[in-house]
Structures are given as structure tokens and as C-alpha cells.
Amino acid sequence: KSGEMAKSTQLIDNDVFRAYATYATIVLLKMMSMSLITAYFRLTRKAFVNPEDVASFGKDENAKKYLRTDQDVERVRRGHLNDLENIVPFLGIGLLYALSGPELSTALLHFRIFTGARITHTFAYLIPLPQPGRGLSWAVGYAVTISMAYKVLKTALYL
Amino acid sequence: KSGEMAKSTQLIDNDVFRAYATYATIVLLKMMSMSLITAYFRLTRKAFVNPEDVASFGKDENAKKYLRTDQDVERVRRGHLNDLENIVPFLGIGLLYALSGPELSTALLHFRIFTGARITHTFAYLIPLPQPGRGLSWAVGYAVTISMAYKVLKTALYL
Amino acid sequence: KSGEMAKSTQLIDNDVFRAYATYATIVLLKMMSMSLITAYFRLTRKAFVNPEDVASFGKDENAKKYLRTDQDVERVRRGHLNDLENIVPFLGIGLLYALSGPELSTALLHFRIFTGARITHTFAYLIPLPQPGRGLSWAVGYAVTISMAYKVLKTALYL
């Protein structure tokens, strides 16, 4: 199996890169789950945005009442957008960080803390937990990304 | 030409990676087109958000009436956000998948179906097509991304 | 230092890739700063979205008045979303472009103009500058990304 992979690239044989691949995939799957949670709340709360989405509920007036915003749906959507705002920097900076030759143990520490922080952030947003639960989990993920950015710029800076 | 490329990296000589580069670029250009479509609807529907955007329409009160939301503009913006939510995971997981040594034919199948699904999704959103057209095209792209994530974790898992 | 890096990968020793790593990190840090600016305006304007965020302001009715939208907060958030819509394509297409073997000077030109355009865009949005300041800075970044996409497709096209 290792030989087959080596045919295409050596990157995936590197432990730091494998760790990045693992945690980046986990955190993206977590982000993708927000779409399913949004769909779940839209269906159970009957709260939709597009007229074509409520067409199956019947003719005009009856169906139109389901074109509305719902607090739970909006909450999940805010969590989803916050994921995008924070996971996109992690993906980009994390990839460059993984290629900048960090120690494996240091890299694992960064990836694990970021992933844990974002999963905590989602629970803090959806339950919701009292503040500063959500704020702190956001700040931890943010700080980890800044730390990786510092290492990337220190290693690769070419302006 | 191939020699010049080899100087910088071997990645771009790999067929699976070239396929990823091609489809990732196509799907990103498609996403970028949403900005142009939004601008088109804002200008033709005269529906803007920022006061400075309507300053050329004249003095205060007359211009202010163009600071409004428009159904068509909002529809394109929802499509754009849905692109971000789904194309970001494809970019990240797809890159790792391309580096995990898949068969070329299997990789092409994944990239082509995802790209076709997202283009269909855009048409389904903008025309709009009756449901479940948009829902199905979304689900197909989602399933392709999950399938690639499974291969990445199977190949690279390092927790 | 170069030896240590070479152990993990050769990519980071490539000047074009180092330039990409530098500018991608800068532009992502700029995008991340939008979260801090949003938080600053939310706190100074006292404008929040989630009930749990205003719990520290006191019991029910008094705290609820801070659950409101604020023009300055919404402006920063629009700038943040515009960053996501434009920086995500730059990250993906820029990475593939950096791997497609461009001339170093040409690559630097692309990365520098894009980064300058997005920083200008942020100032144009937040000050705000009169149009077409913001529009032009957006268009410059957009055009740079299209130019890189053209090079990627010319080099790597594999449909």
C-alpha cells in the first residue's frame, strides 16, 4: 500500500502531513454536518426561505406561512458561518504549517486543540452553553491558527 | 514544458493531481461567477446595501429608496453561500484525496460528478427548478465529498 | 534549517511556493482580523445576536434591548463575507498556480497585487471610501484570480 501511494506523491507518507489530512478532514466533516442540522431544523420547525421549498405543503396561502425565519434555524446557520470564517484559515494556514517542517508532537498538539475547540464551539452554540463558553472555544481555535501562521511566516517568509 | 514544471514540483505531472487542479479551478470559477450575477441583479433591480453604493443616484432621499433587499438578489446570495459551504470541503478533502493515491478513473468520477452536481445546483437555484431538483443536486455533491473523505481517512488516518 | 525542512518536503524550499505561503498567510490573517473588528463593534455598539451573549447585562427586559442589529457591525460582517467569497478562490487557485511552475517574478506580481487589493478593499469598506473605490479594489483581486486560473488550466488541464 505504501508503494502505491509513493507512486503519486511522497506527501501522504509524511507523518505530519497525515496528521494534517486526518484533522482537516474531521473538522470539514464537522462543518458539513451543520448543513444536515440546518435541514433537520428547517423540516421540524417548518421554516423555509425559497417558495419552491414549500410547494409540497399545498396551494399558495397555506404554504406561504412556512416561508419564515426560525430562531433555531438561524442559530445553526450562524454556527455554520462561524465555522467557515475559522476553518478556512485553519485549512490554508494548517496546510502550509504542515509543509514547513514542524515537530510531529507540536503539530499534533496544534491540530488536536483546534479540532477540539471547534467541536466544543459547535456544542456551545447549539445547546447553547452560557458565555464565555462559546467565546473561549472560539478564541482557542483562533490562537492555534495564529500560532501556526507565525511558524509559517518564520519558515517561509518571501515577500 | 514538462521539464520546467518538474523544476518546481512533481505534483503537477501527476494525472490525478492534474484532474484535481482542473476541476477545483472550474468549480471555483463557477463560484466566483455568483459575484457577477449578484452585481448584475443589484444593478438591474436597483437594490443595494451600502449608502455609498447609491450616492451616484442623487441626493439623499431619492437615492435611499434603492437601499433595499430584492428577492432575486437574495436568491443569488443564498446560492453563493451554499457554494462556499460545499465547495470549501471539496477543495480541502479533494486535495487530500488526490494525494492519497486513488485510481485515476475513480478520482475522475468523483471530480466530474461533484462539478456536475454543483453546476446543476446553481441552475436549480437560479431558474428555479421545482424541488427536489436543488435538494438532489446538493445531496449528490455532498455524498461525493463524504466518499472522498472516507478514502482520505482510510489512507492517512493519524490521530 | 534548510536541511530540516527538506526532511519533510521540498515544496517549502521552492521560492514560488514560499511566496504563496507568505501571501496566503497574510491574506488569511487579514480575513481573521474581521472577527476581531466585529467583536469590537459588537461590544462598543452593544449590538448582539444571541440571548446568552447579553446575559451579563442583567435580567430579561433590560438585556434584550442589546439584541439588535447595528449598521457598523453589519458593515464589517459584509466585508468578512466578501473576504470569504474572494479569498477562498485565491487560496485554492493560488496554490495550484504556485505548483504549475510560473516565473517567480510573475507569481510575486499576482500575489502582491491580490493582497494589496484585498487590504484596500477592507479599508474602502470600513472607512467607507466613496465608490468606485471598493468596487475597483474588488475587481482587481478578482482579475488576478482569473489570471492565475487561466495559467492553471493552460498547464494542468485534464478533463
Side-chain angles (χ1 to χ4, degrees), chain B residues 44-105:
Chain B
T44 54
R45 266 64 168 168
K46 289 202 182 1
F48 301 89
V49 200
N50 300 293
E52 67 267 28
D53 300 351
V54 297
S56 64
F57 291 118
K59 287 292 170 197
D60 292 297
E61 290 315 311
N62 187 49
K64 263 185 192 165
K65 72 181 176 211
Y66 300 124
L67 293 177
R68 58 193 190 83
T69 56
D70 173 88
Q71 287 293 68
D72 293 321
V73 171
E74 297 308 307
R75 182 174 281 277
V76 185
R77 296 184 65 227
R78 289 196 296 276
H80 201 164
L81 185 57
N82 194 279
D83 269 353
L84 269 172
E85 291 169 358
N86 289 279
I87 290 175
V88 164
F90 172 79
L91 281 182
I93 292 171
L95 173 66
L96 300 167
Y97 170 77
L99 298 174
S100 73
E103 290 293 324
L104 175 60
S105 57

Side-chain angles (χ1 to χ4, degrees), chain A residues 18-37:
Chain A
R18 285 178 61 195
Y20 169 74
T22 301
Y23 287 100
T25 301
I26 290 171
V27 92
L28 282 171
L29 290 172
K30 192 228 73 62
M31 186 172 93
M32 290 174 70
S33 74
M34 302 305 269
S35 299
L36 298 181
I37 300 173

Side-chain angles (χ1 to χ4, degrees), chain C residues 75-94:
Chain C
R75 183 174 279 276
V76 185
R77 295 183 66 227
R78 288 196 297 276
H80 202 163
L81 186 57
N82 194 280
D83 269 353
L84 269 172
E85 292 169 359
N86 290 279
I87 290 174
V88 164
F90 172 79
L91 281 181
I93 292 171

Side-chain angles (χ1 to χ4, degrees), chain B residues 18 26 44 46-47 69 77 82 92 95 107 111 132 134 138 150 154:
Chain B
R18 285 178 59 195
I26 289 172
T44 54
K46 289 202 182 1
T69 56
R77 296 184 65 227
N82 194 279
L95 173 66
F111 300 155
R134 194 182 88 241
W138 170 84
Y150 174 76
K154 215 183 64 168

Side-chain angles (χ1 to χ4, degrees), chain C residues 44-83:
Chain C
T44 54
R45 268 62 169 169
K46 288 201 180 2
F48 300 89
V49 199
N50 300 293
E52 66 268 27
D53 301 351
V54 297
S56 64
F57 291 118
K59 285 294 169 196
D60 292 297
E61 290 316 310
N62 187 48
K64 262 184 192 165
K65 72 180 178 214
Y66 299 124
L67 292 178
R68 57 192 190 83
T69 57
D70 172 88
Q71 287 293 67
D72 293 321
V73 171
E74 296 309 306
R75 183 174 279 276
V76 185
R77 295 183 66 227
R78 288 196 297 276
H80 202 163
L81 186 57
N82 194 280
D83 269 353

